Amino acid sequence: MRGLMGKGNSVFWKATFVAVVALLLAAVAAASPSAPSKKPKGPTTAQLRAKLPANIRKSNTIRIATSIYAPVDYYKADGKTLTGFDADIMRAVAKKLRVKIRWAVIDFSAIIPGITSGQYDFATDLNDTKQREQVVDFITEFRDGSSILVKKGNPDQLRNLGDLCGKMVVMTQGSVQIPIANAQSDKCQQAGKSKIDQLLVPDDPPARLALKSGRATAYLVNTLAGSYAAKTENGGQDFQILAGVYQPQFAGIIFPKKSARLREAIRATLNAVIRDGTYRKIMVRYGVVNNAIKKSATNAATS
């Protein structure tokens, strides 16, 4: 009997020991830091390329139109090499898609006609508005707005839009600043003041020249471009930008209305560039990280 009891006790204690060890191992495993979970990867180059229209996959080339608005797009000192945060973002997009870019640097006023006529696959650096969305499709790329640029020292002591009554204001043809000036001009006349005189030019460089030469008292301009001009033109000695941003809005890339497939392929690739951190590095490098977006959207205008 004692032998049988001893054998039973031995079996019992062995089973108990195994159970305790198993519990201890489970507790250690639970307490141990788990391996960091990997973020799900974005789409592959092959998946992104598959979204492109067949003709672009065949040619391996995208035709992009833009205009000169530093720091968005501008030429390096050699006068030939296009640089700027938009140019770098588009190169990152092209690299992911394994395509080449054929740039066309044209007057701002010619961009929308060039897109609607099919001369270019898409164009960059336009503020997104409901009115423009009736003609072309947008995907968002960054944030911008409108501001007032004046000569260094602000000789006319301008403070805001209300001080532009009776002044000559230069703007680029077809820009979102024209409706802002028109609305303010109406307010000027309602208050018994003179309307705003407008000098319209094809692009940013002649607008800055008009301000510098005295043909215009102020330049109603995209905030990014105006801030950059104030900081860099002649070592920061030519212009200054007034406080205030009017009608903040998204800016981005435009496509013909019939190019939904290309539009969504570029949007997906831009979002991949945002996701992998390349986009943010570019925006930091150009000092415009506050104008960055978290995700590109289609036709996101609010006004």
Side-chain angles (χ1 to χ4, degrees):
M1 179 67 70
R2 289 179 60 186
L4 289 173
M5 289 294 292
K7 185 176 181 180
N9 284 339
S10 175
V11 171
F12 170 80
W13 287 113
K14 284 181 180 179
T16 302
F17 177 78
V18 170
V20 169
V21 169
L23 287 171
L24 287 172
L25 289 174
V28 170
S32 299
S34 57
S37 58
K38 293 183 179 179
K39 291 183 179 179
K41 293 181 179 179
T44 64
T45 290
Q47 290 170 331
L48 292 170
R49 271 186 65 86
K51 295 177 181 290
L52 289 169
N55 64 314
I56 291 180
R57 292 200 307 272
K58 183 177 180 180
S59 68
N60 278 325
T61 302
I62 47 177
R63 302 168 300 163
I64 306 178
T66 193
S67 57
I68 298 300
Y69 274 92
V72 187
D73 290 307
Y74 60 102
Y75 286 118
K76 289 185 177 181
D78 62 10
K80 298 183 295 183
T81 305
L82 191 66
T83 189
F85 71 82
D86 168 67
D88 285 0
I89 290 169
M90 289 302 101
R91 290 183 182 112
V93 166
K95 183 178 179 180
K96 272 199 182 293
L97 289 169
R98 292 205 306 265
V99 296
K100 297 177 181 178
I101 298 175
R102 185 184 301 162
W103 289 104
V105 179
I106 60 178
D107 286 344
F108 177 81
S109 57
I111 284 184
I112 290 180
I115 291 298
T116 55
S117 67
Q119 286 180 267
Y120 316 106
D121 295 316
F122 58 88
T124 64
D125 187 23
L126 280 87
N127 286 4
D128 190 358
T129 68
K130 290 289 187 184
Q131 183 178 15
R132 285 175 173 171
E133 285 178 4
Q134 295 176 13
V135 182
V136 293
D137 282 336
F138 275 82
I139 64 170
T140 54
E141 186 186 3
F142 59 95
R143 297 176 183 274
D144 205 352
S146 298
S147 293
I148 302 170
L149 190 70
V150 297
K151 280 186 174 182
K152 189 75 171 182
N154 192 10
D156 289 271
Q157 297 301 299
L158 304 179
R159 296 163 298 172
N160 50 43
L161 288 174
D163 291 337
L164 299 182
C165 301
K167 306 295 185 184
M168 178 65 74
V169 177
V170 64
M171 294 169 285
T172 54
Q173 296 167 1
S175 68
V176 297
Q177 285 78 37
I178 295 173
I180 295 174
N182 289 340
Q184 181 58 49
S185 192
D186 290 342
K187 292 179 181 178
C188 293
Q189 292 179 297
Q190 290 167 9
K193 300 177 182 179
S194 299
K195 67 180 180 65
I196 295 175
D197 292 319
Q198 298 183 11
L199 173 62
L200 302 182
V201 296
D203 216 339
D204 177 62
R208 285 185 280 112
L209 180 60
L211 179 59
K212 188 185 298 187
S213 67
R215 290 179 63 203
T217 302
Y219 176 16
L220 198 51
V221 61
N222 287 353
T223 303
L224 271 172
S227 299
Y228 187 82
K231 182 179 179 180
T232 62
E233 191 90 0
N234 191 25
Q237 297 304 307
D238 285 351
F239 304 122
Q240 72 182 67
I241 195 160
L242 303 186
V245 177
Y246 305 99
Q247 293 188 4
Q249 55 199 172
F250 289 113
I253 305 167
I254 66 168
F255 299 80
K257 282 289 186 182
K258 61 183 179 181
S259 293
R261 178 164 184 164
L262 176 61
R263 181 196 71 212
E264 290 308 301
I266 298 301
R267 187 174 72 88
T269 310
L270 175 56
N271 279 328
V273 170
I274 293 172
R275 183 187 180 90
D276 70 15
T278 302
Y279 171 89
R280 180 176 175 81
K281 288 178 182 177
I282 292 170
M283 299 298 274
V284 168
R285 185 163 68 245
Y286 284 90
V288 294
V289 70
N290 289 337
N291 300 86
I293 59 171
K294 294 182 178 179
K295 187 176 182 180
S296 181
T298 301
N299 292 333
T302 56
S303 61

